[in-house]
Amino acid sequence: FVCGWYINNNAIALLGIIIALGMAILLYFGLVNAYYSRGRARYKQGDYEGAIADYNWALRLFPRFALAYNYRGLAYSALGDYDAAIEDYNQALQLEPNLAIAYNNRSMADFALGDYPAALEDVNEALQLKPNFAIAYKNRGRVHSALGEHQAAIEDFTAAIRLTPKNTSVYGERGIVRVYQGDIPGAIGDFTQA
């Protein structure tokens, strides 16, 4: 009886410790997610500095949070700090090498810096990882257009439209490329959709 009571009390004590540690973990990761989620909301409101501050806190608490690096990179990009953005995308990809969105976002930072070959390489990797990634097709269309590869740009814009037909901005971008090709009726059709 005494031995059973001792074991039961130890079992109860251990269960209490496990529950307490589980609650601490939930609170800790809840705090990480709270900072991350608030950062996303601030980004959407255009408060890029506030978003960066929240992502910084999330990363202090959980330095292996690849998505926080990715979205902090977006905030840096929105502020025009493409080098800092690329560093964050690199960190995200080091943590999660198959994170297609980070390749896509890094491609746009490369694009903004005028490094079109790097932009094309990254967006191709994004599409390799996620073949139905509409925004990556749109972004690759932009890169092809900047490189003067108008037919490839039209094909990518068309793929983006096929995947997200309600994204009217892609029609406008495809229309501009059609103007460069001399396809004025096709351009007018796209501008009408935009």
Side-chain angles (χ1 to χ4, degrees):
F1 179 83
V2 173
C3 185
W5 179 84
Y6 178 75
I7 291 172
N8 286 339
N9 275 346
N10 276 342
I12 291 170
L14 287 174
L15 181 61
I17 291 169
I18 290 168
I19 290 170
L21 289 173
M23 293 297 290
I25 289 169
L26 285 175
L27 290 173
Y28 175 76
F29 283 105
L31 187 58
V32 170
N33 282 325
Y35 278 117
Y36 170 75
S37 296
R38 189 171 70 178
R40 296 279 312 267
R42 285 181 166 177
Y43 176 85
K44 289 178 183 178
Q45 291 179 330
D47 179 8
Y48 306 121
E49 291 93 355
I52 289 168
D54 281 339
Y55 295 135
N56 287 343
W57 273 108
L59 290 165
R60 279 187 199 111
L61 294 169
F62 187 54
R64 299 192 53 78
F65 197 172
L67 282 175
Y69 282 108
N70 176 71
Y71 286 105
R72 188 174 70 177
L74 276 178
Y76 280 128
S77 285
L79 293 172
D81 190 349
Y82 301 109
D83 291 323
I86 289 171
E87 286 179 33
D88 274 352
Y89 301 137
N90 290 343
Q91 186 65 37
L93 290 166
Q94 185 177 13
L95 294 169
E96 286 191 37
N98 294 325
L99 191 59
I101 193 168
Y103 282 107
N104 178 70
N105 293 339
R106 187 171 70 181
S107 77
M108 288 296 89
D110 292 331
F111 182 84
L113 292 172
D115 189 352
Y116 303 137
L120 187 58
E121 183 179 331
D122 278 340
V123 76
N124 282 338
E125 185 64 29
L127 286 165
Q128 183 73 26
L129 292 168
K130 190 175 176 184
N132 291 325
F133 197 178
I135 195 160
Y137 280 108
K138 175 182 171 182
N139 290 338
R140 190 169 71 179
R142 290 175 175 171
V143 175
H144 282 304
S145 181
L147 291 168
E149 300 166 352
H150 299 302
Q151 188 56 42
I154 286 177
E155 289 169 11
D156 282 335
F157 290 139
T158 301
I161 290 167
R162 187 179 64 251
L163 292 167
T164 56
K166 293 182 181 182
N167 186 349
T168 58
S169 69
V170 184
Y171 287 97
E173 293 193 54
R174 187 175 70 179
I176 291 168
V177 175
R178 285 186 165 162
V179 168
Y180 289 136
Q181 285 190 311
D183 179 7
I184 303 306
I188 291 171
D190 280 345
F191 293 141
T192 302
Q193 293 290 321

